[in-house]
Amino acid sequence: MSEPVAAAPNQPIAMAAPFPGLRPFAKRDHKYFFGREDQTFALYRLLRTNHFIAVVGSSGSGKSSIVRAGLLPLLEQENDESSRKVWQYAAMRPGRAPIDRLAIGLAKVVGANDEFFEARRDRIAALLFASSHGLTDALPYVAADPDTQLVVLVDQFEELFRYMSAGAQTDTRLELSRRREEAINFIQLLLAATRSHDSRIRVVITMRSDFIGDCARFQGLPEAVSSAQFLVPSLSRDQREEAIRGPVELSGATISSELVERLLNDSSEELDQLPILQHCLARLWIKASATAGEAVDGGAIPGPATRHLTEQDYRDIGGLSGAISNHAEEIFSSLPGREKIVEQVFRALAEIDSEGRAVRRARSLGQLIAETGATREDVCAVLDQFRADECSFLVPPLSSSPTTGLPDETIIDVGHEALLRRWTRVSGDPDATGERGDKREVGWLRQEQRDGERYRFLHSCVDSRSLNESRLSDDQARRYWGWWDKWKPNAAWAARYGGGYNEVERLVRDSYAASGRSRKLKNATYAGVGVALILLAVGGTALYRASETFNHVARSTQSLSSAVLESFNSGQTSLDSAMKYRDIVKELYDRFDDLPNTAQVAQLKTSWLLTSSDLNLALDDKATARRDAARAEEIARSYLNSSADDKGWLRLRYGALFRLGDLDLEDSAVYDGAGNVVARREGPIAAALANYKESERIAARLLDFDVANPTSINEVSVDHLALQRFELAFAINKTGEALQVKKDFAGATSKFTQAFEYATMIQGASRMEWKLQAAATQVKIGRVLKDSVDIDGALLRYSDAVDRQELLFRAYPGDKILRANLAASYEDRGVLYGTKKDHDAARRELDKAAQILTALNEEDPRNVRILDSLGRVYGRAGAVEQDRAASQGLSMDPAIAQYRKEVGARERLAQRRAGDKAYQDRLLQSQDRLKRVEAQATGSFKEATEKSTEAK
């Protein structure tokens, strides 16, 4: 077969634009497809000898172009030169219905406009759905000639992975299961058709390289992708020059040598190198038309006939780095009064996926109109501007039909992800926080992500499956109402994030209306507590003796104590306020000492002592915390001496014992000046083990009692024995933690494994704390394996924990406890990958953790624990980038960017906890590290510059 010959440069053709812009080269553009001849023939040779080929490359590397504008025309040329049809091909993208789309692509091979098309498509679809051999069975309807080879092109194969997870936050489990089953069946169709060496079917897929890992989710696919993979190489400088000059000269135009040199220099290190270069050249072509005296549409007007592309044109369009954003801004500015519709359109057509990647999210025209809430006329006017052939920002191109003439089922999509990364309104500043006072642009996609998280949280409040409160606090009511009133979401938009629009809207409106009433009620409640304290202070004997009053005040005060503890831990109550409240409550309880010491009164006091212990520990008063827990254990033990099977006292002693164990374990630690644990004392460890083992014995006794006496619990409840199993698993885990501190790794693993057996029994219970226990225990085993330097084993345990948490997340996307645990697991797994020097995997995990924590911080900005975790994750991401830079000789800029984020988070923490030295110290440490890394980067740059100067 002879090689294709391009038209000679001195043979001008029609002055149509020779550059496709952001869209990939199509088969019709093959005459302008320069610079890939050798690579095209290499791909062709691979096709001749293999039945399944994966064309893999980074985003913008030219995967689709080399197949559509290189390989397919080459196959047609071979057909033309042969006496028979050697090749036929069907092209498709998986989209949201992969098997149906495959059926359509196959039916079009014979013809798309004949009267039998629909019947042929339906017949092929039936065969594809019927069996994994459906593609082979459909071959007679597509390529009847036994000597003809059928090439099935599955372009943008990664859409299949997005199809499986698209709507994972909103779809039912049945729908998710259906999607996964269809994806599996689609892949099996391709694999079964290419398994035999004498098969007449060849499959070519194009796939972004960052989705390679997703292939492991399907049996047989990794082997197929690995067996014949074509990694699309970057264009060399000479090839890029050919791609620039060839189409210009073929079109009868000219380009200055200075501009060619500038384009080559500016594009050498660019991400999205090829689509950005093609878009820039398309813009230059349009810009040069004015100089050439030609109309933009190519129609000749009086003036010079030769179009000449110059360096001045290049500067005018913003250069390679600014051409896309400048062009998009021009279109944006041309739509006055429709700015919000443009934002809504792009927020609908793209998203940030779970890996932090900006990806396309195609929508039908009708769905797009519904989600924006704008009129059809306004949406069509916006789409027409961004679908124009000169920009190709959205597809299908405008030349196919004005938007008003498109049916509602037409799929609208982004031309290339490069637009999402390059248009600053969409991408934003990666360092922007969105907080008040930060004027940097967050970007439409990150704002959409945050709004989606807000809506998911609100939806979880009205979702009967979630354990979140079905109401909003006063502060939440005001914040969410402000967001709701400004953004004005509609039901179609809300469907992306769980639906239930009417219920969520009612929640937001009712909560906001009730917030005023709630403030009045809260004032009245505090006034009532104040009256009770005053009466107690003046020594009203009747009140002292009234057990009813005591019970009421004791329970109310204990509840308020728990609320203060939670509020303090989240940063919403100051240290001084929490300490003052503790002292008031202690005084209140001291005044009940002369009440009759009945078992009921004693249990209330003991329960409060445990809450008080937690509050004092949070206030860093360990001595008082230990005193309260020890007193509670002593009271409980004394009552159990005369009533050994009293479940109430058993549970109170259980709670006191594990708190004492926690304090013992903390006391065992020896710290250095920087706050790091450098040694452990044996005595406190032994005391902790004794307390934990006794709490474990009590928990086992409580479980045995309820197993032997089923009438004491509700046997038909979903929580049948759940509390008892949770408490036993919790106690066993505590023993395991003490053994781990003792470096008895085998003993710790044995204990955690035992706890895991109980934890797996309660994953279907109602409380999230119980559902998460199995995952939490796997994390504990992973930490033991990490301590024993079995990093691969630790990763396996963490991966199982993450899988369990992600499964729950799909069912409860707004649950805060779950999201915080999932973020912690991502963070720990990222640290493990960092230990293995797998910097990319480490950053992916840490970025996922940061994404969750950022959303949680957005929902609850005053929660210092979340912000502290976010700062730590940024610091760890900085450490990963610093290690990458040191080991690979790369720039320190990515590390510096992460460390700056860490410092920003620590500064906000230090402001919120101004009196807490620990937060001030962490801020100083973060600032010192950032200064050292910046100095190191500056020094390295200076040294490199000096060496370069010396060399010259």
Side-chain angles (χ1 to χ4, degrees):
M1 185 186 115
S2 61
E3 298 188 11
V5 180
N10 60 356
Q11 294 175 345
I13 63 175
M15 295 291 283
F19 302 106
L22 278 188
R23 68 169 176 81
F25 280 87
K27 186 164 67 69
R28 66 178 182 274
D29 304 313
H30 73 276
K31 60 180 174 290
Y32 299 123
F33 189 61
F34 285 82
R36 294 280 197 188
E37 288 81 4
D38 291 344
Q39 297 168 15
T40 300
F41 274 100
L43 179 57
Y44 169 78
R45 288 191 294 272
L46 199 62
L47 181 70
R48 297 284 296 187
T49 55
N50 293 274
H51 286 77
F52 190 105
I53 301 166
V55 180
V56 178
S58 60
S59 176
S61 62
K63 302 178 295 296
S64 297
S65 297
I66 196 172
V67 176
R68 290 182 178 273
L71 179 64
L72 297 186
L74 199 58
L75 300 183
E76 288 195 348
Q77 181 178 334
E78 184 175 358
N79 284 341
D80 293 340
E81 294 174 355
S82 175
S83 58
R84 59 183 177 83
K85 181 159 284 192
V86 182
W87 303 98
Q88 284 187 307
Y89 58 84
M92 52 88 66
R93 285 171 49 180
R96 294 178 294 175
I99 296 181
D100 281 332
R101 285 195 166 198
L102 177 58
I104 293 170
L106 293 171
K108 285 182 177 179
V109 172
V110 178
N113 301 315
D114 64 287
E115 59 182 315
F116 302 109
F117 172 77
E118 291 186 2
R120 184 167 60 251
R121 176 202 61 199
D122 293 344
R123 177 59 179 160
I124 291 172
L127 292 170
L128 296 178
F129 278 106
S131 161
S132 62
H133 298 283
L135 190 50
T136 303
D137 295 339
L139 197 56
Y141 297 91
V142 181
D145 189 335
D147 294 324
T148 300
Q149 300 287 311
L150 174 67
V151 176
V152 178
L153 168 61
V154 186
D155 201 5
Q156 297 182 34
F157 188 78
E158 65 270 9
E159 286 185 354
L160 194 67
F161 307 131
R162 296 204 288 268
Y163 165 72
M164 285 179 56
S165 59
Q169 313 299 336
T170 61
D171 291 326
T172 64
R173 292 187 180 183
L174 181 62
E175 172 62 14
L176 289 172
S177 176
R178 187 198 67 78
R179 285 172 181 262
R180 177 169 177 77
E181 183 178 359
E182 182 170 353
I184 291 172
N185 291 342
F186 176 76
I187 288 173
Q188 291 308 311
L189 284 168
L190 304 182
L191 296 179
T194 55
R195 210 164 270 139
S196 172
H197 289 296
D198 57 359
S199 172
R200 290 198 291 125
I201 299 173
R202 283 169 164 76
V203 171
V204 178
I205 68 170
T206 68
M207 180 172 60
R208 277 173 48 176
S209 53
D210 48 336
F211 284 88
I212 282 283
D214 293 273
C215 294
R217 297 155 69 181
F218 300 95
Q219 187 173 6
L221 184 59
E223 294 85 347
V225 168
S226 301
S227 63
Q229 188 177 121
F230 183 85
L231 183 59
V232 179
S234 298
L235 291 181
S236 67
R237 187 180 180 89
D238 288 344
Q239 289 169 331
R240 275 184 288 126
E241 182 172 359
E242 189 177 352
I244 294 167
R245 289 188 181 276
V248 172
E249 295 171 357
L250 185 63
S251 300
T254 60
I255 183 170
S256 72
S257 297
E258 294 81 2
L259 175 56
V260 173
E261 195 68 18
R262 181 72 178 273
L263 287 167
L264 293 173
N265 290 337
D266 289 355
S267 65
S268 60
E269 301 298 332
E270 285 289 323
L271 176 68
D272 304 318
Q273 177 193 90
L274 297 181
I276 291 173
L277 179 61
Q278 287 296 321
H279 178 269
C280 184
L281 288 165
R283 290 286 284 160
L284 286 168
W285 185 264
I286 299 297
K287 178 68 177 166
S289 69
T291 307
E294 297 175 11
V296 171
D297 62 4
I301 63 172
T306 301
R307 192 180 311 220
H308 183 61
L309 282 63
T310 69
E311 198 169 4
Q312 183 58 50
D313 296 330
Y314 182 75
R315 288 190 289 270
D316 289 344
I317 66 168
L320 201 70
S321 61
I324 289 179
S325 194
N326 288 355
H327 191 184
E329 283 298 309
E330 287 178 17
I331 300 174
F332 184 76
S333 300
S334 73
L335 293 162
R338 289 171 169 150
E339 292 87 352
K340 185 177 180 181
I341 300 173
V342 177
E343 177 181 353
Q344 290 171 315
V345 164
F346 279 94
R347 284 173 63 157
L349 292 176
E351 64 182 329
I352 297 174
D353 71 1
S354 60
E355 301 291 335
R357 301 169 291 206
V359 296
R360 293 175 285 195
R361 176 170 54 188
R363 285 284 190 266
S364 69
L365 175 59
Q367 188 177 12
L368 192 58
I369 293 170
E371 291 183 7
T372 60
T375 66
R376 184 184 182 89
E377 178 185 2
D378 282 340
V379 173
C380 289
V382 167
L383 295 180
D384 278 352
Q385 293 298 313
F386 285 95
R387 292 175 57 225
D389 291 346
E390 66 183 57
C391 68
S392 304
F393 286 155
L394 298 179
V395 293
L398 185 62
S399 56
S400 63
S401 172
T403 309
T404 52
L406 297 176
D408 280 356
E409 58 270 20
T410 303
I411 299 299
I412 307 296
D413 200 358
V414 174
H416 197 281
E417 285 99 341
L419 173 66
L420 309 178
R421 291 187 282 267
R422 292 286 173 160
W423 188 10
T424 52
R425 284 188 189 273
V426 175
S427 62
D429 186 325
D431 295 324
T433 64
E435 294 189 352
R436 188 174 299 173
D438 188 346
K439 302 302 182 184
R440 293 171 295 188
E441 187 73 45
V442 171
W444 287 343
L445 292 193
R446 283 173 63 198
Q447 189 58 53
E448 173 68 19
Q449 185 181 45
R450 292 182 179 189
D451 288 343
E453 289 291 344
R454 289 188 180 105
Y455 188 86
R456 285 191 187 112
F457 168 71
L458 293 171
H459 181 262
S460 73
C461 293
V462 299
D463 185 353
S464 59
R465 299 176 301 168
S466 174
L467 301 176
N468 278 352
E469 295 281 355
S470 58
R471 58 181 175 80
L472 302 178
S473 67
D474 292 350
D475 181 57
Q476 287 175 326
R478 289 189 293 273
R479 285 192 293 111
Y480 279 102
W481 169 254
W483 166 73
W484 188 276
D485 191 49
K486 179 181 178 181
W487 178 236
K488 294 181 172 56
N490 60 31
W493 177 87
R496 294 181 205 164
Y497 304 108
Y501 175 80
N502 292 333
E503 293 83 356
V504 171
E505 182 183 37
R506 190 180 308 115
L507 169 70
V508 175
R509 292 186 182 277
D510 291 352
S511 297
Y512 182 66
S515 62
R517 298 192 298 271
S518 176
R519 284 194 296 274
K520 294 177 182 178
L521 179 61
K522 186 183 294 184
N523 291 337
T525 301
Y526 284 138
V529 171
V531 170
L533 290 171
I534 292 170
L535 289 172
L536 291 168
V538 300
T541 305
L543 181 61
Y544 273 65
R545 302 296 180 186
S547 60
E548 278 291 322
T549 302
F550 172 77
N551 291 342
H552 172 72
V553 175
R555 288 193 177 95
S556 298
T557 309
Q558 183 177 342
S559 297
L560 196 53
S561 298
S562 299
V564 170
L565 173 62
E566 181 178 353
S567 182
F568 172 74
N569 282 332
S570 68
Q572 299 181 27
T573 295
S574 69
L575 178 63
D576 288 343
S577 296
M579 293 181 73
K580 287 175 183 177
Y581 176 79
R582 174 196 61 179
D583 295 340
I584 290 172
V585 175
K586 181 181 179 301
E587 183 180 351
L588 171 63
Y589 269 87
D590 288 346
R591 291 180 182 275
F592 286 109
D593 282 345
D594 60 344
L595 275 176
N597 198 20
T598 64
Q600 182 185 22
V601 171
Q603 283 198 355
L604 281 169
K605 280 191 172 184
T606 305
S607 181
W608 177 80
L609 282 168
L610 296 179
T611 302
S612 177
S613 177
D614 292 339
L615 182 56
N616 280 295
L617 184 60
L619 297 175
D620 205 30
D621 187 351
K622 295 177 185 175
T624 306
R626 178 181 289 279
R627 185 198 66 195
D628 289 342
R631 178 60 182 151
E633 194 277 332
E634 180 185 353
I635 295 171
R637 181 159 35 87
S638 67
Y639 274 92
L640 285 168
N641 286 335
S642 57
S643 183
D645 292 327
D646 188 295
K647 291 175 64 177
W649 283 116
L650 282 170
R651 187 156 279 117
L652 285 169
R653 186 164 184 248
Y654 161 85
L657 284 165
F658 78 70
R659 284 172 172 85
L660 288 170
D662 288 349
L663 288 162
D664 290 331
L665 210 57
E666 174 63 24
D667 285 347
S668 73
V670 179
Y671 295 93
D672 62 13
N676 301 309
V677 177
V678 294
R680 290 281 184 176
R681 289 189 284 266
E682 291 295 329
I685 294 177
L689 271 170
N691 282 317
Y692 287 149
K693 286 180 178 178
E694 182 63 13
S695 71
E696 182 183 332
R697 185 190 67 79
I698 293 173
R701 185 174 174 184
L702 286 166
L703 176 59
D704 290 342
F705 176 84
D706 283 336
V707 170
N709 300 275
T711 55
S712 65
I713 53 177
N714 182 2
E715 287 189 276
V716 300
S717 168
V718 68
D719 293 334
H720 174 61
L721 296 178
L723 172 62
Q724 298 85 336
R725 285 172 174 149
F726 168 76
E727 289 181 339
L728 180 53
F730 183 84
I732 296 171
N733 274 330
K734 286 291 184 182
T735 304
E737 288 171 12
L739 290 170
Q740 182 179 359
V741 167
K742 195 178 177 182
K743 297 192 181 302
D744 180 357
F745 298 140
T749 302
S750 175
K751 279 294 178 184
F752 291 145
T753 303
Q754 182 185 355
F756 183 70
E757 293 176 4
Y758 288 107
T760 54
M761 299 178 188
I762 57 175
Q763 291 184 110
S766 64
R767 290 180 56 182
M768 186 57 69
E769 188 179 14
W770 299 341
K771 291 176 182 292
L772 281 168
Q773 188 65 12
T777 305
Q778 287 287 60
V779 166
K780 293 179 188 298
I781 298 174
R783 288 174 180 164
V784 172
L785 293 170
K786 178 188 174 185
D787 286 350
S788 56
V789 202
D790 181 0
I791 304 302
D792 290 332
L795 277 169
L796 285 174
R797 294 291 183 167
Y798 268 100
S799 294
D800 181 74
V802 167
D803 287 345
R804 293 172 186 275
Q805 291 166 334
E806 287 180 336
L807 185 63
L808 284 170
F809 179 67
R810 286 194 283 271
Y812 307 97
D815 191 279
K816 290 185 177 181
I817 296 174
L818 168 60
R819 289 155 67 195
N821 275 268
L822 181 56
S825 296
Y826 284 143
E827 179 186 355
D828 286 351
R829 192 161 67 167
V831 171
L832 288 170
Y833 279 123
T835 304
K836 288 173 65 69
K837 305 295 184 182
D838 188 342
H839 301 111
D840 290 338
R843 274 305 305 272
R844 279 198 301 271
E845 297 299 304
L846 292 170
D847 287 349
K848 286 189 284 189
Q851 182 180 335
I852 293 174
L853 292 169
T854 299
L856 287 170
N857 183 55
E858 176 77 18
E859 293 169 16
D860 192 0
R862 293 186 296 173
N863 192 317
V864 295
R865 286 181 297 179
I866 293 172
L867 192 54
D868 189 34
S869 298
L870 184 57
R872 184 181 62 246
V873 168
Y874 285 146
R876 286 178 162 172
V880 168
E881 292 300 343
Q882 186 178 357
D883 187 66
R884 188 206 302 265
S887 61
Q888 300 179 25
L890 302 175
S891 167
M892 282 285 185
D893 288 349
I896 291 171
Q898 293 299 315
Y899 285 142
R900 284 176 178 167
K901 289 182 180 180
E902 179 193 14
V903 169
R906 300 268 178 232
E907 285 173 344
R908 297 200 295 277
L909 277 168
Q911 291 168 1
R912 292 173 192 177
R913 282 288 179 84
D916 194 321
K917 185 176 182 300
Y919 288 109
Q920 309 301 321
D921 290 344
R922 288 176 200 166
L923 171 59
L924 291 174
Q925 291 169 6
S926 299
Q927 290 172 331
D928 287 344
R929 180 164 59 175
L930 174 60
K931 288 177 183 176
R932 287 197 305 272
V933 175
E934 287 178 330
Q936 180 184 350
T938 304
S940 299
F941 177 76
K942 182 179 179 181
E943 182 182 354
T945 304
E946 289 173 350
K947 287 183 178 179
S948 176
T949 303
E950 290 173 3
K952 290 179 180 179

